[in-house]
Short mmCIF file of all heavy atoms in Angstrom, two decimals:
data_model
loop_
_atom_site.label_atom_id
_atom_site.label_comp_id
_atom_site.label_asym_id
_atom_site.label_seq_id
_atom_site.Cartn_x
_atom_site.Cartn_y
_atom_site.Cartn_z
N ASN R 1 142.95 47.01 82.10
CA ASN R 1 142.70 45.62 81.73
C ASN R 1 141.38 45.12 82.30
O ASN R 1 140.64 44.38 81.63
CB ASN R 1 143.83 44.73 82.23
CG ASN R 1 145.14 44.98 81.50
OD1 ASN R 1 145.16 45.28 80.32
ND2 ASN R 1 146.25 44.85 82.23
N VAL R 2 141.10 45.51 83.53
CA VAL R 2 139.86 45.13 84.21
C VAL R 2 139.34 46.34 84.97
O VAL R 2 140.08 47.30 85.21
CB VAL R 2 140.09 43.96 85.19
CG1 VAL R 2 140.39 42.67 84.46
CG2 VAL R 2 141.22 44.29 86.18
N PRO R 3 138.06 46.33 85.37
CA PRO R 3 137.56 47.41 86.23
C PRO R 3 138.41 47.56 87.48
O PRO R 3 139.03 46.60 87.96
CB PRO R 3 136.13 46.97 86.54
CG PRO R 3 135.75 46.10 85.38
CD PRO R 3 137.01 45.38 84.99
N VAL R 4 138.40 48.75 88.04
CA VAL R 4 139.35 49.08 89.09
C VAL R 4 139.17 48.22 90.34
O VAL R 4 140.15 47.85 91.00
CB VAL R 4 139.25 50.59 89.41
CG1 VAL R 4 137.94 50.96 90.06
CG2 VAL R 4 140.42 51.05 90.25
N GLU R 5 137.94 47.84 90.67
CA GLU R 5 137.73 47.00 91.86
C GLU R 5 138.34 45.61 91.64
O GLU R 5 138.92 45.04 92.57
CB GLU R 5 136.24 46.88 92.17
CG GLU R 5 135.58 48.17 92.61
CD GLU R 5 135.18 49.06 91.45
OE1 GLU R 5 135.33 48.60 90.27
OE2 GLU R 5 134.72 50.19 91.70
N THR R 6 138.19 45.07 90.44
CA THR R 6 138.79 43.77 90.13
C THR R 6 140.31 43.86 90.16
O THR R 6 141.00 42.96 90.68
CB THR R 6 138.31 43.28 88.76
OG1 THR R 6 136.90 43.21 88.74
CG2 THR R 6 138.89 41.91 88.43
N GLY R 7 140.86 44.95 89.62
CA GLY R 7 142.30 45.14 89.64
C GLY R 7 142.85 45.22 91.04
O GLY R 7 143.91 44.65 91.35
N ALA R 8 142.12 45.91 91.94
CA ALA R 8 142.57 46.00 93.33
C ALA R 8 142.56 44.63 93.99
O ALA R 8 143.49 44.28 94.74
CB ALA R 8 141.67 46.97 94.10
N LYS R 9 141.53 43.84 93.73
CA LYS R 9 141.47 42.48 94.28
C LYS R 9 142.65 41.65 93.79
O LYS R 9 143.26 40.90 94.56
CB LYS R 9 140.15 41.82 93.87
CG LYS R 9 140.01 40.38 94.36
CD LYS R 9 138.71 39.75 93.88
CE LYS R 9 138.61 38.30 94.32
NZ LYS R 9 137.36 37.65 93.83
N ASN R 10 143.00 41.81 92.51
CA ASN R 10 144.12 41.04 91.95
C ASN R 10 145.45 41.47 92.55
O ASN R 10 146.34 40.65 92.76
CB ASN R 10 144.13 41.16 90.43
CG ASN R 10 142.95 40.46 89.79
OD1 ASN R 10 142.31 39.61 90.41
ND2 ASN R 10 142.65 40.82 88.56
N ALA R 11 145.59 42.78 92.82
CA ALA R 11 146.81 43.25 93.48
C ALA R 11 146.93 42.63 94.87
O ALA R 11 148.01 42.19 95.28
CB ALA R 11 146.80 44.78 93.57
N LEU R 12 145.81 42.58 95.59
CA LEU R 12 145.82 41.95 96.92
C LEU R 12 146.15 40.46 96.82
O LEU R 12 146.83 39.90 97.69
CB LEU R 12 144.47 42.13 97.59
CG LEU R 12 144.08 43.57 97.96
CD1 LEU R 12 142.64 43.61 98.47
CD2 LEU R 12 145.03 44.14 99.00
N GLN R 13 145.67 39.82 95.73
CA GLN R 13 145.97 38.40 95.53
C GLN R 13 147.47 38.16 95.40
O GLN R 13 148.02 37.24 96.01
CB GLN R 13 145.25 37.90 94.27
CG GLN R 13 145.42 36.42 93.98
CD GLN R 13 144.63 35.56 94.95
OE1 GLN R 13 143.41 35.47 94.88
NE2 GLN R 13 145.33 34.91 95.86
N VAL R 14 148.14 38.99 94.62
CA VAL R 14 149.59 38.84 94.44
C VAL R 14 150.32 39.13 95.74
O VAL R 14 151.28 38.43 96.10
CB VAL R 14 150.09 39.75 93.30
CG1 VAL R 14 151.61 39.65 93.18
CG2 VAL R 14 149.43 39.37 91.98
N LEU R 15 149.90 40.16 96.47
CA LEU R 15 150.53 40.46 97.76
C LEU R 15 150.39 39.27 98.71
O LEU R 15 151.31 38.96 99.48
CB LEU R 15 149.90 41.71 98.38
CG LEU R 15 150.19 43.03 97.67
CD1 LEU R 15 149.46 44.17 98.36
CD2 LEU R 15 151.69 43.32 97.62
N GLN R 16 149.23 38.60 98.66
CA GLN R 16 149.04 37.40 99.48
C GLN R 16 150.02 36.31 99.08
O GLN R 16 150.66 35.69 99.93
CB GLN R 16 147.60 36.90 99.31
CG GLN R 16 147.29 35.59 100.01
CD GLN R 16 145.91 35.06 99.64
OE1 GLN R 16 144.93 35.78 99.65
NE2 GLN R 16 145.85 33.78 99.28
N TRP R 17 150.16 36.07 97.76
CA TRP R 17 151.09 35.05 97.29
C TRP R 17 152.52 35.32 97.75
O TRP R 17 153.26 34.41 98.10
CB TRP R 17 151.09 34.97 95.77
CG TRP R 17 149.83 34.43 95.18
CD1 TRP R 17 148.86 33.71 95.81
CD2 TRP R 17 149.42 34.56 93.81
NE1 TRP R 17 147.85 33.39 94.92
CE2 TRP R 17 148.17 33.88 93.69
CE3 TRP R 17 149.97 35.17 92.69
CZ2 TRP R 17 147.49 33.83 92.48
CZ3 TRP R 17 149.30 35.10 91.48
CH2 TRP R 17 148.06 34.43 91.39
N MET R 18 152.88 36.61 97.73
CA MET R 18 154.27 36.99 98.00
C MET R 18 154.52 37.32 99.47
O MET R 18 155.60 37.79 99.82
CB MET R 18 154.65 38.19 97.12
CG MET R 18 154.43 37.98 95.63
SD MET R 18 155.37 36.61 94.94
CE MET R 18 157.04 37.27 94.99
N ASN R 19 153.52 37.10 100.32
CA ASN R 19 153.64 37.40 101.75
C ASN R 19 154.03 38.85 102.01
O ASN R 19 154.88 39.14 102.85
CB ASN R 19 154.64 36.44 102.41
CG ASN R 19 154.20 35.00 102.37
OD1 ASN R 19 153.06 34.69 102.69
ND2 ASN R 19 155.11 34.13 101.96
N ARG R 20 153.39 39.78 101.28
CA ARG R 20 153.69 41.19 101.44
C ARG R 20 152.40 42.01 101.63
O ARG R 20 152.23 43.06 101.03
CB ARG R 20 154.46 41.71 100.21
CG ARG R 20 155.88 41.21 100.11
CD ARG R 20 156.73 41.54 101.34
NE ARG R 20 156.63 42.93 101.76
CZ ARG R 20 157.40 43.90 101.26
NH1 ARG R 20 158.32 43.62 100.36
NH2 ARG R 20 157.25 45.13 101.70
N THR R 21 151.53 41.51 102.49
CA THR R 21 150.28 42.22 102.73
C THR R 21 150.46 43.48 103.57
O THR R 21 149.48 44.15 103.92
CB THR R 21 149.25 41.29 103.40
OG1 THR R 21 149.83 40.72 104.58
CG2 THR R 21 148.84 40.17 102.44
N ASP R 22 151.71 43.81 103.89
CA ASP R 22 152.00 45.08 104.57
C ASP R 22 151.92 46.26 103.63
O ASP R 22 151.84 47.42 104.07
CB ASP R 22 153.40 45.03 105.19
CG ASP R 22 154.47 44.71 104.15
OD1 ASP R 22 154.40 43.62 103.55
OD2 ASP R 22 155.37 45.54 103.93
N ILE R 23 151.94 46.01 102.33
CA ILE R 23 151.95 47.10 101.33
C ILE R 23 150.51 47.53 101.05
O ILE R 23 149.66 46.69 100.71
CB ILE R 23 152.64 46.64 100.04
CG1 ILE R 23 154.10 46.30 100.32
CG2 ILE R 23 152.54 47.71 98.96
CD1 ILE R 23 154.83 45.67 99.16
N PRO R 24 150.20 48.82 101.15
CA PRO R 24 148.82 49.27 100.92
C PRO R 24 148.45 49.30 99.44
O PRO R 24 149.30 49.55 98.59
CB PRO R 24 148.82 50.68 101.51
CG PRO R 24 150.23 51.16 101.35
CD PRO R 24 151.09 49.92 101.56
N VAL R 25 147.17 49.03 99.17
CA VAL R 25 146.62 49.09 97.82
C VAL R 25 145.52 50.14 97.80
O VAL R 25 144.62 50.11 98.66
CB VAL R 25 146.05 47.72 97.40
CG1 VAL R 25 145.36 47.82 96.03
CG2 VAL R 25 147.15 46.66 97.37
N TYR R 26 145.59 51.06 96.84
CA TYR R 26 144.63 52.15 96.74
C TYR R 26 143.84 52.05 95.43
O TYR R 26 144.43 51.89 94.36
CB TYR R 26 145.34 53.50 96.80
CG TYR R 26 145.93 53.82 98.15
CD1 TYR R 26 147.18 53.33 98.52
CD2 TYR R 26 145.24 54.61 99.06
CE1 TYR R 26 147.72 53.62 99.77
CE2 TYR R 26 145.77 54.92 100.31
CZ TYR R 26 147.01 54.42 100.65
OH TYR R 26 147.54 54.70 101.88
N ILE R 27 142.53 52.18 95.54
CA ILE R 27 141.67 52.20 94.36
C ILE R 27 141.68 53.60 93.75
O ILE R 27 141.49 54.60 94.45
CB ILE R 27 140.24 51.78 94.72
CG1 ILE R 27 140.21 50.29 95.10
CG2 ILE R 27 139.28 52.05 93.57
CD1 ILE R 27 138.85 49.80 95.55
N GLY R 28 141.90 53.66 92.44
CA GLY R 28 141.96 54.93 91.74
C GLY R 28 140.79 55.15 90.80
O GLY R 28 139.66 54.74 91.06
N GLU R 29 141.10 55.77 89.66
CA GLU R 29 140.07 56.21 88.73
C GLU R 29 139.36 55.03 88.08
O GLU R 29 139.99 54.09 87.61
CB GLU R 29 140.69 57.11 87.67
CG GLU R 29 141.29 58.39 88.22
CD GLU R 29 140.25 59.26 88.91
OE1 GLU R 29 139.28 59.67 88.23
OE2 GLU R 29 140.39 59.52 90.12
N ALA R 30 138.03 55.13 88.00
CA ALA R 30 137.20 54.05 87.47
C ALA R 30 136.84 54.23 86.01
O ALA R 30 136.24 53.34 85.40
CB ALA R 30 135.91 53.92 88.30
N LYS R 31 137.20 55.37 85.43
CA LYS R 31 136.94 55.59 84.01
C LYS R 31 137.98 56.56 83.45
O LYS R 31 138.58 57.34 84.20
CB LYS R 31 135.53 56.14 83.80
CG LYS R 31 135.27 57.46 84.48
CD LYS R 31 133.83 57.92 84.26
CE LYS R 31 133.57 59.27 84.93
NZ LYS R 31 132.17 59.72 84.71
N PRO R 32 138.22 56.52 82.16
CA PRO R 32 139.18 57.44 81.54
C PRO R 32 138.75 58.90 81.67
O PRO R 32 137.60 59.18 82.04
CB PRO R 32 139.20 56.99 80.07
CG PRO R 32 138.72 55.57 80.10
CD PRO R 32 137.72 55.51 81.21
N LEU R 33 139.65 59.81 81.34
CA LEU R 33 139.36 61.24 81.47
C LEU R 33 138.14 61.66 80.66
O LEU R 33 137.27 62.39 81.14
CB LEU R 33 140.57 62.07 81.04
CG LEU R 33 141.85 62.01 81.88
CD1 LEU R 33 142.85 63.03 81.36
CD2 LEU R 33 141.56 62.23 83.36
N LYS R 34 138.07 61.20 79.39
CA LYS R 34 137.02 61.69 78.50
C LYS R 34 136.26 60.58 77.78
O LYS R 34 135.04 60.62 77.69
CB LYS R 34 137.61 62.65 77.45
CG LYS R 34 138.21 63.91 78.05
CD LYS R 34 138.79 64.81 76.94
CE LYS R 34 139.40 66.08 77.53
NZ LYS R 34 139.98 66.95 76.45
#
């Protein structure tokens, strides 16, 4: 839906809302296979 860095930021945003910043967020692949 968005570039991977933006997606990671949004995941952290939701964890902040839900008071669950104990859960780790990992950045993955930045482009499709081919």
Side-chain angles (χ1 to χ4, degrees):
N1 292 325
V2 290
V4 68
E5 293 83 5
T6 303
K9 178 182 177 182
N10 292 341
L12 293 173
Q13 183 72 73
V14 177
L15 291 177
Q16 175 188 312
W17 291 343
M18 305 300 289
N19 296 313
R20 289 303 311 273
T21 54
D22 56 299
I23 297 172
V25 175
Y26 291 83
I27 292 177
E29 297 299 300
K31 60 182 181 180
L33 293 187
K34 297 180 180 179

